[in-house]
Amino acid sequence: MNKVYGNCNWPLPLTQLSRPFNLALKAQPCCARLSSTRSFRHKTQFWQCPSRDAGFATFSRSISTSHVGKKGKTRKGVPTHRPVSNSHNDEAYLDPEASKSVLGIILGGGAGTRLYPLTKKRAKPAVPLGANYRLIDIPVSNCINSNIQKIYVLTQFNSASLNRHVLRAYSCNMGGYRSEGFVEILAAEQSRENPHWFQGTADAVRQYLWLFEEQPIMEYLILAGDQLYRMDYQKFIQFHRETNSDITVAALPMDEKKASTFGLMKIDADGQVIKFLEKPKGNALKSMKVDTSLLGLGEEKARQMPYIASMGIYVMKKEVAKRLLLEDFPEANDFGSEVIPGATQIGMRVQTYLFDGYWEDIGTIEAFYNANLGITKKPPDFSFYDKTAPIYTQARYLPPSIMVDANVSDSVIGEGCVLKKCKISHSVIGLRSWIADGVSINDSLLLGADYYETDEEREALLLRRRVPVGIGRNSVIQRAIIDKNARIGENVKVCSFHFFSKMECGTVIATDILGFAN
C-alpha cells in the first residue's frame, strides 16, 4: 500500500502561523513515503517528508486495534484509552486537516463577578496576563498552533476592550490568498426568534448555530476564554475521531479539595463517560470517586487525585451539536450542567481525553494572582518561552524597557517600562509601567498602562498636586494587584493588610488613585 502526502515548500508564507508540518497536505510525487509496521496491539503508520535540513521529519499516528478490559477480554476496534501530553514531541495527523474541518468557538464567559473589580470595565478574556498578554491570547494561540484557523469569540459583557484587542492582534494575520482563516467577535444580540441575551454557554452556541452551520466543517471545538494552559488541539481532535465519539471532553485528575468546584465525571474502562455531575457536594461528591489509574496515572498519584474534572473544553460532531441544542435539549442553557449530562443519559458516546499539562482556571482573584506570579518561579509554572508553540498577542511596537540603577530579581518585566532606582522582587510588571525612584515592589502584579504620559504632562500634574500614571517615589507595593492606568502617589504603602478595593486571600487590589503628590 503506497500513499503520497506532503508539500514541503520553503520558506513558509507569512499568512501561515502554525508550525511547519501542520500545513495543508497536497499530493507531491516522490515527496513523501508511507511505511507501515504492525505489532500485537497497534498498527502504526509513518508519514515521512523531506525537511529543509535535508533529513526526514517523521509523523506518526498510533491506532489501537484491540482493547483489553479488566477481565482480560478483548474488544476489537476500540482505541486504548491513554494519557496524553501537552508536549509537541509526537505530531498528530488529521485527515481532513484541522484548518479545513474544525471550527473553534471561544466562549467569553459571564459577568466575571469573582474577578471583580478587574472585570469592572472589561470582559474576563480581556484581563491582562503575564505582563504583555491578555487571557484571550491563550485559546487563540492554541488554535493557531494547532492549525485551527477559523475561530469565533462569543462575548456579552464589557466587550469593548476585548473587541479592540482581537481586531488589532489577529484580523490581519489569519486570512490570505490561500487561507480562509479568521478570528471574529460575535456579540450577544436579540432577534425576532430570540429576544434574550446569552443565557449560558450552550445557549450562546445555540443562538449562533445558524452561522456556524454555514462553515463546511466536521467538528466544533468549544473553548473557554479564561484559562491558562498550552494544548495541541490536533491530538484532542484525532483522539475524538479515532474513538468515533459524539462528544469528547478534555479532563484532568483532581484532588478532593478542589473537586467540588468542577464538573466531575465517572468513566468506564474505555474512558467513556457514564455519569456527569456539575460541582457536586457532600455525598454526591464522594459518589464521583473513580480509579484514575485507568487513565494511566501512577498508583500514588491516583490515590491523591481520585476525581476526573472537566476542563470545560469540548469537541463535538457538527450534526451532534445541532441535534443536542435544537432537538434533544432546546431549553438547556449550559454545557456542563445540562447538555453533557443529558448526552450521556440518552446514550451518546461521550469520551474523556486526559490532559496532563499545566492548566489553571482563572476564575477568581486568587487564581489570577497565583497564575501570574507562577511565571516568575524557577522553573515557571507556565512558560511563554516555547518556540514550538508561542503565545501570540497584539504587536504594539513599544521600545525596550529602561532600567536605571534598578534592582530586579525573579521578576517578569513587560515592554516599554521605565524603572528608576527601584527594587523589584518576585513580581510581574505590565507594559508601559512607570516606577519612580525609591519604590519597593515585592510579590505583586502590576497590569501596566494603556498609554504614556509625557514628561511635561507628568510635571504639570505634580505642580497641581495631581498624581501621574504609575508608582510615585518611595512607595511600597507588597502582595498587591495594581490595575491598569492606576495612579499611586509618593510615599504610599499598598500592602496586604490594607483594604483599598477588595481583599481575597491576603491580596489587595488597587484600581484607582491612591495618595497625592507631596
Side-chain angles (χ1 to χ4, degrees):
M1 176 180 176
N2 294 319
K3 293 182 182 178
V4 177
Y5 296 88
N7 181 11
C8 300
N9 295 327
W10 299 91
L12 300 178
L14 292 177
T15 53
Q16 179 63 49
L17 297 181
S18 59
R19 298 190 317 282
F21 293 109
N22 290 336
L23 294 171
L25 299 179
K26 300 179 181 178
Q28 291 283 341
C30 302
C31 181
R33 302 181 306 210
L34 172 69
S35 63
S36 298
T37 59
R38 290 180 180 272
S39 64
F40 177 73
R41 290 174 59 91
H42 291 85
K43 171 185 175 184
T44 304
Q45 297 178 327
F46 298 92
W47 285 266
Q48 295 182 329
C49 182
S51 75
R52 56 178 166 180
D53 297 322
F56 279 93
T58 302
F59 302 84
S60 64
R61 176 175 60 160
S62 298
I63 304 174
S64 174
T65 56
S66 66
H67 176 75
V68 181
K70 288 183 177 179
K71 298 181 180 180
K73 296 181 180 180
T74 300
R75 296 175 53 196
K76 297 292 183 181
V78 179
T80 302
H81 191 76
R82 59 194 185 278
V84 297
S85 174
N86 64 330
S87 69
H88 292 269
N89 296 330
D90 298 324
E91 295 287 345
Y93 175 80
L94 296 178
D95 185 16
E97 61 179 291
S99 64
K100 297 181 179 179
S101 61
V102 180
L103 178 66
I105 302 171
I106 302 174
L107 303 175
T113 54
R114 294 185 300 164
L115 269 178
Y116 190 88
L118 299 178
T119 53
K120 181 179 180 180
K121 297 181 180 179
R122 59 173 76 94
K124 279 198 294 184
V127 172
L129 173 75
N132 283 346
Y133 305 90
R134 292 180 185 251
L135 279 171
I136 189 63
D137 292 326
I138 301 301
V140 173
S141 297
N142 283 334
C143 283
I144 294 173
N145 294 331
S146 302
N147 200 26
I148 297 170
Q149 301 176 10
K150 299 177 180 179
I151 307 166
Y152 285 114
V153 181
L154 276 56
T155 66
Q156 179 162 280
F157 293 95
N158 292 332
S159 58
S161 63
L162 176 62
N163 296 351
R164 183 169 57 249
H165 178 79
V166 170
L167 179 66
R168 293 176 177 175
Y170 304 106
S171 63
C172 299
N173 297 321
M174 298 296 293
Y177 176 70
R178 294 177 179 269
S179 172
E180 298 179 355
F182 58 82
V183 181
E184 293 184 7
I185 295 285
L186 297 177
E189 61 184 18
Q190 295 175 310
S191 65
R192 292 182 178 180
E193 293 77 18
N194 190 342
H196 305 291
W197 304 114
F198 295 157
Q199 303 300 306
T201 55
D203 184 62
V205 174
R206 180 190 296 112
Q207 290 195 32
Y208 273 107
L209 207 56
W210 62 271
L211 178 62
F212 302 154
E213 287 183 325
E214 294 178 359
Q215 296 293 333
I217 49 92
M218 294 172 56
E219 293 104 357
Y220 297 137
L221 175 65
I222 300 174
L223 307 168
D226 57 353
Q227 299 174 350
L228 179 60
Y229 64 104
R230 181 180 278 109
M231 178 189 282
D232 185 353
Y233 297 139
Q234 291 181 110
K235 295 179 183 178
F236 185 24
I237 297 161
Q238 178 176 306
F239 182 79
H240 172 78
R241 293 180 183 178
E242 289 177 355
T243 56
N244 193 29
S245 301
D246 297 308
I247 304 171
T248 302
V249 183
L252 69 167
M254 188 63 60
D255 58 30
E256 188 163 358
K257 181 180 179 181
K258 298 179 181 178
S260 61
T261 62
F262 292 91
L264 301 181
M265 296 172 285
K266 293 195 76 170
I267 61 172
D268 60 19
D270 300 329
Q272 188 171 344
V273 178
I274 57 178
K275 187 177 181 180
F276 190 108
L277 287 181
E278 183 72 8
K279 300 178 181 179
K281 311 287 184 182
N283 292 332
L285 174 63
K286 294 180 180 179
S287 71
M288 297 303 291
K289 282 188 176 181
V290 296
D291 181 9
T292 50
S293 63
L294 292 173
L295 302 178
L297 271 67
E299 184 177 344
E300 181 62 27
K301 191 172 183 180
R303 189 182 305 110
Q304 296 172 358
M305 299 185 172
Y307 297 95
I308 301 175
S310 168
M311 297 168 61
I313 299 174
Y314 318 106
V315 59
M316 60 181 65
K317 295 178 180 177
K318 182 178 181 179
E319 63 274 13
V320 168
K322 181 178 180 180
R323 173 187 162 183
L324 287 172
L325 296 176
L326 299 183
E327 299 175 17
D328 294 329
F329 307 103
E331 302 299 322
N333 291 327
D334 188 69
F335 279 113
S337 61
E338 298 173 274
V339 175
I340 303 300
T344 62
Q345 292 172 6
I346 64 176
M348 284 192 171
R349 184 177 181 87
V350 182
Q351 194 77 22
T352 53
Y353 174 86
L354 182 67
F355 179 71
D356 68 348
Y358 173 84
W359 177 86
E360 185 66 54
D361 180 20
I362 313 293
T364 65
I365 294 297
E366 180 184 10
F368 176 72
Y369 175 83
N370 291 333
N372 274 277
L373 290 195
I375 69 176
T376 67
K377 294 181 180 178
K378 302 175 183 178
D381 292 338
F382 178 87
S383 176
F384 289 93
Y385 302 92
D386 187 338
K387 64 181 181 180
T388 64
I391 304 300
Y392 305 99
T393 191
Q394 176 185 341
R396 301 177 179 89
Y397 307 106
L398 293 173
S401 293
I402 300 173
M403 288 178 273
V404 181
D405 294 331
N407 185 347
V408 180
S409 63
D410 299 334
S411 298
V412 175
I413 310 298
E415 301 173 318
C417 297
V418 178
L419 314 181
K420 295 183 176 182
K421 297 182 180 178
C422 56
K423 184 177 180 180
I424 300 173
S425 174
H426 191 231
S427 298
V428 177
I429 309 300
L431 51 85
R432 300 189 190 90
S433 290
W434 183 287
I435 301 175
D437 299 0
V439 171
S440 176
I441 300 175
N442 187 44
D443 295 331
S444 295
L445 170 60
L446 278 63
L447 303 189
D450 290 319
Y451 54 88
Y452 284 116
E453 289 177 336
T454 66
D455 291 340
E456 292 77 12
E457 290 173 332
R458 299 180 69 85
E459 290 175 3
L461 287 170
L462 291 172
L463 288 174
R464 291 182 290 158
R465 294 180 55 81
R466 300 294 180 86
V467 182
V469 171
I471 313 299
R473 289 183 300 177
N474 302 318
S475 291
V476 176
I477 312 295
Q478 174 74 32
R479 192 171 171 79
I481 300 174
I482 309 298
D483 203 352
K484 270 195 170 184
N485 307 322
R487 300 169 184 266
I488 310 296
E490 298 179 0
N491 302 305
V492 173
K493 290 186 178 181
V494 182
C495 302
S496 58
F497 49 83
H498 290 292
F499 292 79
F500 285 111
S501 180
K502 176 180 179 180
M503 171 167 291
E504 181 172 339
C505 299
T507 302
V508 63
I509 305 173
T511 60
D512 206 343
I513 302 175
L514 300 180
F516 295 93
N518 291 327

